[in-house]
Amino acid sequence: AIIVYRLPWTWKCSKLLMKFIHAGLNTIAMILAIVSMVAVFEYHNARSIPNMYSLHSWIGLTAVIFYSLQLFLGFAVFLLPFAPIPLRAALMPIHVYSGLLIFVTAIASALTGITEKLLFSLKSPAYSESPPEAIFVNCLGLLIVIFGALILWMASRPQWKRPPEENAKVQRPNGGAPEGMEAESTMTDCSNADKSDVGFNSEAARKRNLKLDEAGQRSTM
């Protein structure tokens, strides 16, 4: 959902379509997050495991809460056509920053969660003995970090930013003439240049005729 505006092959699609895709992916992720939270609490209650005591659970719940707020404000401000343009412009940097922050928080929750699972599950052999399960999950954690780094790199590079719409109004720099006036000025200059060229050619022709007449008179004399 973060990079849906950053993919060059999506730049030909309309901005409204990309908004719906962005919102749809975030909605699916929110549904999956809620299902996961319910499954975790039911599993803990069935096994008589205390809830919300670890750093992993605190980070995960924080990510879900802020993600729900992010999704609600995104729908209300950017998807529905009721928010005024100045409000959208003011909230857009906050929306982008909070989205990246929630993404990093979710990665941190995943890393602490798989580490916690290894510490509790691997007894014989222990996690410290690096059994195949530990190596596999550690590699999974590194892949999650690499994935997060790639997403953040794509989201922070200006060259990956979606170009403005073709029908957007192009602002002329200060002191520059509007396009119509500039074209008119160019046409006027060209017409003046044509007139001056015609005048110059006529004067040259007149001088040539005078010289020919003088030469003819001398030959006659």
Side-chain angles (χ1 to χ4, degrees):
I2 289 176
I3 64 172
V4 75
Y5 295 107
R6 302 280 177 165
L7 303 176
W9 55 84
T10 66
W11 294 347
K12 296 180 179 180
C13 302
S14 66
K15 186 69 174 292
L16 182 60
L17 175 62
M18 302 316 299
K19 278 187 177 183
F20 279 111
I21 294 176
H22 179 74
L25 292 174
N26 278 298
T27 302
I28 294 173
M30 189 68 228
I31 294 173
L32 295 177
I34 293 174
V35 172
S36 301
M37 292 285 291
V38 173
V40 167
F41 278 102
E42 289 186 354
Y43 177 81
H44 280 201
N45 294 333
R47 297 294 185 92
S48 299
I49 301 175
N51 293 311
M52 301 303 301
Y53 69 92
S54 64
L55 177 62
H56 162 68
S57 61
W58 286 24
I59 295 176
L61 184 61
T62 301
V64 172
I65 292 174
F66 280 99
Y67 192 37
S68 60
L69 294 176
Q70 173 88 342
L71 188 62
F72 174 76
L73 292 177
F75 269 107
V77 176
F78 298 105
L79 191 62
L80 300 179
F82 304 117
I85 299 299
L87 178 62
R88 295 186 179 187
L91 292 181
M92 178 56 72
I94 301 175
H95 180 74
V96 173
Y97 172 77
S98 58
L100 295 176
L101 180 61
I102 293 170
F103 177 68
V104 173
T105 305
I107 291 178
S109 177
L111 295 178
T112 55
I114 61 178
T115 302
E116 179 183 297
K117 185 65 176 179
L118 287 175
L119 290 173
F120 291 163
S121 300
L122 293 180
K123 301 298 183 182
S124 181
Y127 184 25
S128 59
E129 298 179 9
S130 298
E133 296 86 351
I135 296 175
F136 173 78
V137 176
N138 287 346
C139 292
L140 175 62
L142 288 177
L143 291 176
I144 293 175
V145 172
I146 294 173
F147 168 73
L150 289 176
I151 296 300
L152 293 177
W153 183 82
M154 294 176 64
S156 60
R157 295 278 75 81
Q159 59 267 28
W160 287 79
K161 188 176 181 180
R162 178 184 173 92
E165 298 292 335
E166 294 181 357
N167 57 355
K169 184 178 180 180
V170 179
Q171 302 262 343
R172 299 288 297 177
N174 292 333
E179 293 179 359
M181 294 180 62
E182 190 176 57
E184 182 179 357
S185 175
T186 304
M187 294 175 63
T188 305
D189 293 340
C190 292
S191 62
N192 291 335
D194 294 338
K195 291 179 181 178
S196 61
D197 291 341
V198 172
F200 178 79
N201 294 333
S202 300
E203 183 67 20
R206 187 177 65 82
K207 290 180 179 180
R208 284 197 302 270
N209 292 332
L210 288 175
K211 291 180 180 179
L212 290 174
D213 292 339
E214 291 177 357
Q217 291 177 2
R218 290 194 188 97
S219 62
T220 305
M221 292 173 64

